[in-house]
Amino acid sequence: MIGNEKLLEELTGLLEDNADQLKNQWVKEMTEMKLLEKLTPVEIEQQSSAIYDTCVLTIKNGNYDAAKKYAREMAKKGVLEAMTVDQIIMGMLKLRDVYGRFIFSKYQQEVTKLYKVLDIYEPIANRILNIVALAFVQERERVINEQQLAMLELSTPVLQIRDQILVVPLIGTIDSARAAQIVEQLLNSIVDTQASIVIIDITGVPVIDTAVANHLIKTIQASKMLGADTIITGISPANAQTLVSLGVDLSMMTTKGTLRSGMKLADEMLRIEIVEKV
Amino acid sequence: MTEDSIEVKNEYDIISARGFGRGIASRLGFGVVDQCRITTAISELARNAVVHGKGGTVTIKTIQNEKKGIEIICKDDGPGIEDIELALKGGYSTVGGLGIGLSGTRRLMDEFHITSGPGKGTTVTIRKWLN
């Protein structure tokens, strides 16, 4: 009986010796499946060789690092930009088939040996495909995370509209991460501008539940500590009724229906201060 | 009858769950204020499931018997609530919140049922009837 190591050596030897034939077969089948339409012949040659060699190398030494690295690059840089994820996965499945059929044809006379070789080959082939698929998923997730961060930054401008008045127009959903970011940005702006009044407009916040209310209350308290009073504007009638039913106590908040009336109030508040000083 | 379940694991799932609820409430013919109440109630329960229960499921059903309405079941397999009465009293929170999510949700809806206990997870069923 031949040991597994010997068999593996034999298998990789066969894959290496027949590299050109198998690679051409693979490329031919992918071309027939119209997977490579947008690649130039040079790209096809380079990529198919690189993938073929990486796979053989992985089968040979059982180390998946090279495959992982290659798959990550493929997903990230879009080396195969001209191919969709669907085409790339189909292409990889095809390579698996090409290897598989080759193994069958080589060992068809010795069924016991064939099974043993397949026992070695199948887990490796499956794992390689798993790595490729995972690389794409991870790359997508990375992009989504990046975009979320980008949206966080975009979505909270703090605008100085008078020497001492800041306006924060909130739009969309206020989750904990965004709330923390809003507070930080607002507090920095209060210190930078020496503002004494902050108007937070929540016309664009569709749902005000207790968590959002809690974030608002904490923002108001923190602003207060830096010497700025807060006016909340833009609570819709439906949200106002809902907040009352929820039992959120807004008595410590100064609220106005619209941003316009909030600004008017802020002006009045500032004028009173000026009068008092004189 | 429509029935659909949404898994809630994070903030984004909460948003899709309540968006879905608002859609159903609107199609059933609820007014703007009631839509807002239902959406907010879903938001409260879903957030409880995410924050306390480490995720759960929100099931939204339409009820169309002689009485029409919407039913929302929010279920999680978290640690459960030790003292339900205390949690429902309001002003009590284990995570620094306002502590009025559950009691507020009860006031927003027409019916409110809760089963929970240490190690048993929490299931909250709420209903709102269309007048």
Side-chain angles (χ1 to χ4, degrees):
Chain A
M1 280 310 269
I2 317 179
N4 273 358
E5 271 174 38
K6 254 287 174 15
L7 264 184
L8 180 65
E9 214 173 281
E10 193 178 304
L11 173 63
T12 46
L14 279 171
L15 293 178
E16 277 170 344
D17 293 344
N18 296 283
D20 284 339
Q21 180 213 326
L22 290 176
K23 209 172 64 194
N24 289 339
Q25 173 71 21
W26 179 38
V27 171
K28 188 174 145 246
E29 290 193 28
M30 280 197 292
T31 312
E32 277 166 12
M33 289 170 77
K34 298 190 177 14
L35 297 179
L36 306 174
E37 276 175 329
K38 288 184 181 155
L39 291 177
T40 64
V42 180
E43 282 173 329
I44 293 177
E45 169 58 26
Q46 279 173 352
Q47 293 304 327
S48 62
S49 293
I51 294 173
Y52 188 95
D53 295 344
T54 310
C55 287
V56 174
L57 189 76
T58 307
I59 297 172
K60 197 173 178 175
N61 58 22
N63 183 341
Y64 294 89
D65 290 347
K68 277 183 193 160
K69 193 165 162 248
Y70 193 85
R72 259 205 305 271
E73 269 172 30
M74 198 154 71
K76 195 173 199 157
K77 281 197 307 196
V79 182
L80 303 173
E81 261 173 353
M83 288 175 85
T84 60
V85 175
D86 165 56
Q87 285 175 323
I88 293 173
I89 305 249
M90 284 308 281
M92 293 303 295
L93 283 165
K94 201 71 232 171
L95 180 60
R96 184 179 178 275
D97 294 347
V98 169
Y99 284 148
R101 292 217 168 197
F102 173 72
I103 293 171
F104 267 95
S105 69
K106 282 289 162 192
Y107 295 100
Q108 56 185 342
Q109 304 300 338
E110 310 159 81
V111 177
T112 345
K113 205 172 174 189
L114 171 65
Y115 273 109
K116 285 192 117 182
V117 174
L118 285 178
D119 278 345
I120 299 174
Y121 165 72
E122 280 168 351
I124 302 176
N126 289 346
R127 179 125 182 237
I128 291 177
L129 277 162
N130 188 14
I131 287 172
V132 174
L134 227 90
F136 282 103
V137 174
Q138 282 166 347
E139 175 60 16
R140 283 277 145 97
E141 277 173 2
R142 196 187 60 77
V143 171
I144 291 171
N145 282 341
E146 249 172 36
Q147 284 171 344
Q148 273 172 0
L149 284 178
M151 268 165 64
L152 264 183
E153 282 189 0
L154 279 177
S155 53
T156 337
V158 178
L159 311 168
Q160 185 175 18
I161 53 155
R162 295 253 201 283
D163 279 351
Q164 294 194 63
I165 304 178
L166 296 178
V167 171
V168 187
L170 294 185
I171 291 169
T173 308
I174 316 292
D175 58 22
S176 310
R178 241 192 108 191
Q181 196 242 349
I182 291 164
V183 172
E184 192 191 320
Q185 206 167 331
L186 177 60
L187 296 187
N188 283 332
S189 301
I190 292 174
V191 173
D192 290 346
T193 60
Q194 307 262 300
S196 55
I197 294 177
V198 175
I199 303 172
I200 299 179
D201 182 75
I202 54 173
T203 310
V205 181
V207 176
I208 305 169
D209 55 12
T210 59
V212 173
N214 194 20
H215 290 314
L216 283 177
I217 290 169
K218 284 184 174 158
T219 308
I220 293 169
Q221 286 169 341
S223 305
K224 186 78 196 161
M225 281 185 193
L226 292 176
D229 288 318
T230 308
I231 302 168
I232 304 282
T233 65
I235 301 178
S236 71
N239 270 327
Q241 275 175 277
T242 303
L243 282 169
V244 170
S245 308
L246 263 179
V248 176
D249 179 16
L250 295 182
S251 58
M252 48 83 67
M253 285 190 197
T254 310
T255 56
K256 280 281 166 190
T258 61
L259 180 59
R260 184 168 163 271
S261 51
M263 283 169 64
K264 221 169 165 184
L265 174 66
D267 281 345
E268 277 169 26
M269 283 160 77
L270 284 175
R271 233 173 267 143
I272 290 167
E273 278 180 348
I274 293 163
V275 170
E276 276 179 348
K277 271 182 196 164
V278 171
Chain B
M1 195 187 92
T2 337
E3 175 175 340
D4 236 310
S5 287
I6 297 177
E7 241 184 278
V8 286
K9 293 187 298 289
N10 54 43
E11 195 74 34
Y12 301 100
D13 297 334
I14 299 175
I15 297 169
S16 38
R18 69 193 189 199
F20 183 64
R22 191 191 284 271
I24 290 182
S26 150
R27 277 194 298 280
L28 267 171
F30 280 104
V32 183
V33 177
D34 276 343
Q35 282 177 38
C36 188
R37 288 195 174 113
I38 292 162
T39 313
T40 309
I42 295 172
S43 191
E44 296 295 342
L45 296 184
R47 180 164 287 102
N48 278 349
V50 170
V51 175
H52 302 282
K54 304 205 161 44
T57 39
V58 175
T59 307
I60 302 172
K61 294 181 196 177
T62 58
I63 308 168
Q64 276 165 329
N65 307 329
E66 61 273 33
K67 257 167 122 189
K68 281 186 179 145
I70 189 168
E71 178 181 274
I72 296 126
I73 304 161
C74 185
K75 189 176 178 324
D76 70 62
D77 297 316
I81 303 168
E82 210 154 303
D83 189 341
I84 296 181
E85 243 170 76
L86 183 64
L88 280 175
K89 222 176 91 191
Y92 170 79
S93 173
T94 52
V95 291
L98 291 176
I100 53 173
L102 267 187
S103 56
T105 303
R106 176 148 78 170
R107 282 191 294 270
L108 287 174
M109 304 298 281
D110 295 326
E111 280 182 44
F112 179 100
H113 308 280
I114 182 167
T115 47
S116 183
K120 285 192 228 146
T122 302
T123 304
V124 182
T125 306
I126 51 176
R127 291 189 195 97
K128 185 114 197 143
W129 301 109
L130 199 63
N131 299 325

